[in-house]
Amino acid sequence: MSRQNASDPSESMPQPSAGDQAMPSASTAHGTATTTPLFPGPGPREDSVVLVGLMGAGKTTIGRRIATRLGMPFIDADLEIERAAGCSIADLFTQYGEAEFRKGEHRVIRRILDGPPVVLATGGGAFMDAMTRAIVRERATSVWLRCPLPVLVRRVQGRGHRPLLNAGNPRDVLAQLMDIRYPTYAEADITVDCGEESVEQSAATVINALALGRQPRVVPVILDRWRYDVTIGENLLRHAGMLLSPVLPQKRVVVVTDSTVASLHLPQLLQGLAQDGIRAETIVVPPGEGSKTLAEYERVTGILLEMGVERGTTVIALGGGVVGDLAGFAAATTMRGLPFVQIPTTLLAQVDSSVGGKTGINTPFGKNLLGAFHQPLAVLADTTTLATLPPREIRAGYAEIVKAGLIGDAALFAWCEANGQAVLDGDADSQAEAVRRACAFKAAVVGDDEREERKSDGRALLNLGHTFGHALEAELGYDGRLLHGEAVSLGLRLAFVTSERMGLCGSADVERVTTHLERLGMPARLRDLEQTFSAERLLAHMQRDKKMRDGRLSFVLVRGIGQAFTCRDVPDSLVREILLAEGCSA
C-alpha cells in the first residue's frame, strides 16, 4: 500500500502472517555470517539477541560485531521499517506521529522475532512499548547498552534524521530521554556499560555475558597514561581469545604458568585462545614461592628470547601471585618491555597482586626487592578457577579483601562481616562480588598513586599488615609453611594492636578485627602458630624491608576501621614489646 492512501503506518510494514515473504530474510538482506559460533554445541543460540538503548549507544555497530562472532544474521529494525514503508523514519514520524509509528514498529519487531534467531538492533523507543517488551522477553535475550550522556551527545552530533533530536538542544533532549527511558531499559536481561571502550571491547563484554548467562563484573583501572579492565566472572578461560583479542597487539602470546595450574587450567585457556586464532606457546615453572628467584627469572627470559618473541608478543601470566610477579617482571624487562596480561587463578592474586602493575622476584635480602612497575593490558579473573583451591588458599586470599575494607572502606569490612563465610564456603556470587569490591578499592588507590611516589598515604596504604607479614615470611624462607595471605592476616591484627598501643584507635576496633578473623578460621595471633619467632630476627627483617625510608621503619597504622595512614614514628622498642607480648622469644 502506498503512503498516500495508508491510514496507519503499520499497514505499510510487514504483517505477521504465516508464510508471508514480503520482508526479505535477514540472511538475504544483510548476508549470513560464516564465522564459527562462539557457543559450544551442535547449533547456534536458540534465542535472538535484542539490543536496546538510546540513539548513539552503538546498537548497530556493536550489534554487527556480535552477530559476526556468534555466527548469526544481523538486522537493524529501523532499516527494516524504512525498507517496508518506503520512506525514512523521520518521514514516518511526520506523517503519522510517534504513537502510530510505535504500532508499526512493534509489528516489524514481532515479525523478525517470529523467524530464525538474529541479532536485532532496535530503535531507542522500541523497548518503551509494553507489547514490544513482552514479545522481546518471550522470544529473545535483551541487552541494554548503557552509555554516559557526554558520549551520546558527541556521537549524535549532526544526526538530523533523528526526529526526537529536532525538538531542542541534543544534550537536553538526551538527558530528558535518559530520565524517562532508563528505568524501563533496566528491565533488560543484561546491562552492559558502553563508554569510551572500543566496539570490539563492548561486543566482547556482551558476548561474554550471553555466554555466561549473567553479566560479568568489570572494574576499570584508570591511570594517568594507561587504562585496562579487570573482568570478573565464571568460565572466562573458555572465552579468553574473544575477551583479549581487542587489546592484543598481535595474535601471538606466551603463557607462563606453573606445573600445578597447567594441569588444571592450561588446556581450557589454550582452547579459548585458539578459538580466536591466537597462537600460544607455553613456559612452565615449578609451583611455589621458590620460583621467584633470579635463577628462574633468567630461565624464563632466556626461553622468551629463544622463542623469538617480538615487541608485540604478549606474555600471559596464568596462575597465582608467584606466577604473576615472575611473568610480569620477565615481560617488563625482556626487550625493554613486552605486553602483559594477568589471568589470576587464586583468590589472593585476583584481589591483590594481579591489579596495579607491581612485578618482582625475591632475594636473600627480602621479598620483591627486584622488580618493576609494569601495567597489564587486561586482567581476567575467572572465579571458576577458585573451585580448585583448597580452603587454606581461599582463606589466604580472603585476608586481602578484609585488608581493603580496613584501609579505607568501612562498608566493605561490614560486607565481609556479613558475607565472609559465604565467600569461604565457595558461593560463586559472593566470591565474584568480593573480588569486584576489593579490585574497585585497589583500582582507586592505584589510580591515585600508581608508582607509590607519595611520601605518605597513597598506594603505600595497601601495605597494611605487610611490614609484620613480610617479616614473618622472610623468617620462614618463603617455604610455604606460612602463605602470604596468612602472614597478612596476622599482620592486620598486629597493625591494629600497634595502633591501639599508640593511642590511635580503640580496643573495640582491635576486638572487632580479631573476632572476625578468628570466626572465619583465619590466623590472628602469633602464639597460635606452631613456629616460635624471635622478636629480634623479625625486627631485623623489617629493617631490610623496601618500605624503609631514611633508616626508619614504615608502618601503615589506623585510627579506626577504614581509617588507615602511613607512619614512620613507631619506635623499635614498641614493636619489640608487642612481638614479645604476642609470644615471640627475646
Side-chain angles (χ1 to χ4, degrees), residues 2-3 5 16 21 31 49 98 132 140 152 157 202 215 227 243 262 308 369 400 409 426 454 483 492-493 498 506:
S2 67
R3 289 177 53 209
N5 59 8
Q21 300 298 316
V49 177
E98 183 177 359
T132 299
L152 292 174
Q157 291 296 332
S202 297
Q215 182 184 357
R227 182 196 189 282
L243 291 166
L369 292 182
E400 290 285 351
D409 191 347
R454 288 192 179 183
L483 301 178
L492 292 175
R493 179 179 171 277
T498 305

Side-chain angles (χ1 to χ4, degrees), residues 492-502 505 510 578 582:
L492 292 175
R493 179 179 171 277
L494 287 171
F496 269 78
V497 170
T498 305
S499 300
E500 180 194 19
R501 289 286 301 272
M502 295 182 67
C505 76
V510 178
I578 291 171
E582 287 292 313

Side-chain angles (χ1 to χ4, degrees), residues 54-57 59 78 89-90 93-94 98 102 124-125 149 151-178 181:
L54 286 179
M55 62 191 84
K59 298 186 294 292
D78 283 353
I89 298 293
F93 262 71
T94 301
E98 183 177 359
R102 296 300 173 201
L149 180 60
V151 175
L152 292 174
V153 172
R154 187 177 70 249
R155 289 178 179 174
V156 302
Q157 291 296 332
R159 295 190 183 183
H161 64 289
R162 299 283 186 174
L164 293 180
L165 286 181
N166 298 329
N169 180 280
R171 175 177 288 273
D172 295 338
V173 172
L174 286 168
Q176 185 177 17
L177 287 174
M178 290 172 77
R181 293 181 177 180

Side-chain angles (χ1 to χ4, degrees), residues 318-509:
L318 173 69
V322 169
V323 168
D325 284 353
L326 172 64
F329 187 39
T333 52
T334 300
M335 301 180 72
R336 295 192 175 93
L338 298 176
F340 178 48
V341 166
Q342 287 267 24
I343 304 184
T345 58
T346 66
L347 184 59
L348 179 63
Q350 289 183 1
V351 302
D352 182 46
S353 60
S354 66
V355 180
K358 280 188 175 181
T359 70
I361 57 176
N362 303 330
T363 77
F365 299 97
K367 188 179 178 71
N368 297 327
L369 292 182
L370 293 179
F373 287 95
H374 192 51
Q375 298 294 345
L377 299 173
V379 178
L380 303 184
D382 187 339
T383 54
T384 309
T385 64
L386 303 181
T388 64
L389 298 177
R392 184 187 177 198
E393 291 277 2
I394 295 292
R395 286 195 296 270
Y398 179 72
E400 290 285 351
I401 301 170
V402 173
K403 182 195 77 173
L406 296 178
I407 290 171
D409 191 347
L412 172 54
F413 183 68
W415 184 92
C416 288
E417 291 178 306
N419 299 278
Q421 191 62 58
V423 174
L424 298 187
D425 288 344
D427 180 76
D429 193 62
S430 297
Q431 288 181 337
E433 179 61 13
V435 174
R436 185 197 69 79
R437 285 172 176 259
C439 286
F441 174 79
K442 184 166 185 180
V445 174
V446 171
D448 196 45
D449 183 22
E450 178 183 355
R451 302 179 70 86
E452 202 170 319
E453 294 172 327
R454 288 192 179 183
K455 293 184 177 180
S456 62
D457 298 337
R459 184 165 181 167
L461 292 176
L462 297 173
N463 291 311
L464 178 65
H466 282 56
T467 301
F468 286 106
H470 281 171
L472 293 167
E473 288 182 276
E475 177 63 12
L476 294 177
Y478 313 107
D479 62 4
R481 282 180 288 171
L482 187 68
L483 301 178
H484 175 67
E486 293 172 334
V488 169
S489 179
L490 292 161
L492 292 175
R493 179 179 171 277
L494 287 171
F496 269 78
V497 170
T498 305
S499 300
E500 180 194 19
R501 289 286 301 272
M502 295 182 67
L504 298 169
C505 76
S507 60
D509 291 322

